[in-house]
Amino acid sequence: MKDKLQSIKEDALSQIKDAEMLDRLNEVRVSFLGKKGELTALLKSMKEVPPEERPAFGQLVNETRQQIETALDETKKKLEQTAMERRLAEEVIDVTLPAKRNHVGHRHPNTIAREEVERIFVGMGYEVVEGPEIEYDLYNFEKLNIPADHPAKDEQDTFYINKDIVLRTQTSPVQARVMEQGKLPIRMISPGRVFRSDEVDATHSPSFHQIEGLVVDKNITFADLKGTLADFAKELFGEETKTKFRPHHFPFTEPSAEMDVSCFKCGGKGCRFCKGSGWIEILGCGMVHPHVFEMCGIDPDVYTGFAFGVGLERIALLKYEIDDMRLLYENDVRFLKQF
């Protein structure tokens, strides 16, 4: 895998160096860093790397991406400068004409937040796994310890296609699908869009995004969960960030907790942003319920694990101090161009 990564880096830098036009440079960017690019495909094959080597390999992938992005940006500036000099030499400019402003798009705040979370966990040796948005009731509920008569099934306000198929209410079904494969140990995150029959307001939407994580191995404890999420919070919100765990209940984890982070706006002193408490609720987590392991074919007497889930929009709202979730979906250029 390291040889393949080195080959991708050398090939990308060579193509960037040879690019003579901005269009060609963009093609190189897409072919290596796009959704179906070579480096992205390599990230999705992290499961082939031995577990003990994944953190180091994830770090190498991040460094390679940064090197390629730096080379792309530098070459883009040179090509733009060259193109401008050529135009100035070839064209006669009427300085009395009004200027034409070119509006260039960029990444959505949700995309920025998702990529940052993925970068943090890939650096820890996790792999990114995606799953279907239209899901079986079996995976969305039953294999997560939520049978037909469980109250939590009513609380999630599900969109049903028929009695057996739903629009997924969480990305946890991806975890159940991975556990069923029996390839242990598991270290994964599953980002994606989910659906619930909620009224649209400042903090709710019928369609939103979650990122859920799962670790399954021998001798995994709640201490591993706390340490992992504490490091995640520091990477995301700053080194001074503290974490606090409060007991909670989720059907698929036992024990369960909600995690708060110290307010990164006031440093925990209390402000309008944290409603004077000094803490901000950020995610839910817990140790995987033994019954969930049993339904997915994993022996709970041999393996333990933890899971966590965080709303992607919540991260974006907190990180960029946005007070209305609807702004993320209204496509108002005046709002989006701030990022």
Side-chain angles (χ1 to χ4, degrees), residues 64-192:
T64 299
R65 173 181 286 274
Q66 291 173 359
Q67 290 174 359
I68 293 174
E69 288 179 341
T70 299
L72 284 166
D73 292 340
E74 291 175 353
T75 304
K76 181 181 179 182
K77 291 177 182 178
K78 292 178 182 177
L79 291 177
E80 288 175 342
Q81 181 64 31
T82 301
M84 177 59 71
E85 291 174 355
R86 186 184 304 116
R87 288 186 60 190
L88 290 174
E90 296 175 353
E91 299 177 8
V92 176
I93 300 176
D94 185 348
V95 295
T96 64
L97 290 174
K100 293 182 179 180
R101 189 174 181 181
N102 186 26
H103 296 279
V104 180
H106 52 78
R107 293 177 299 170
H108 191 276
N110 266 0
T111 303
I112 298 171
R114 189 198 74 231
E115 289 180 349
E116 185 168 2
V117 173
E118 289 180 354
R119 175 188 61 80
I120 292 169
F121 280 104
V122 166
M124 293 182 184
Y126 287 58
E127 61 176 313
V128 180
V129 183
E130 297 180 351
E133 295 179 355
I134 301 176
E135 186 58 275
Y136 288 107
D137 182 280
L138 174 68
Y139 288 100
N140 197 76
F141 291 116
E142 291 188 31
K143 284 186 178 290
L144 300 176
N145 205 28
I146 308 176
D149 58 350
H150 199 288
K153 202 165 185 179
D154 297 327
E155 293 170 3
Q156 295 202 18
D157 298 322
T158 310
F159 288 107
Y160 279 87
I161 295 175
N162 58 41
K163 67 182 183 66
D164 296 320
I165 300 177
V166 302
L167 297 182
R168 67 180 181 185
T169 60
Q170 54 208 355
T171 55
S172 298
V174 183
Q175 301 174 355
R177 288 177 174 273
V178 171
M179 284 191 286
E180 267 193 347
Q181 297 173 9
K183 297 179 181 178
L184 302 170
I186 297 170
R187 284 171 177 79
M188 58 163 283
I189 58 170
S190 52

Side-chain angles (χ1 to χ4, degrees), residues 121 126-127 171-172 175 186-191 210-216 225 229 253 284-286 288 305-310:
F121 280 104
Y126 287 58
E127 61 176 313
T171 55
S172 298
Q175 301 174 355
I186 297 170
R187 284 171 177 79
M188 58 163 283
I189 58 170
S190 52
Q210 281 187 342
I211 299 180
E212 301 198 25
L214 173 69
V215 170
V216 180
L225 166 62
L229 295 182
T253 54
C285 58
V288 179
F306 64 76
F308 57 88
V310 57

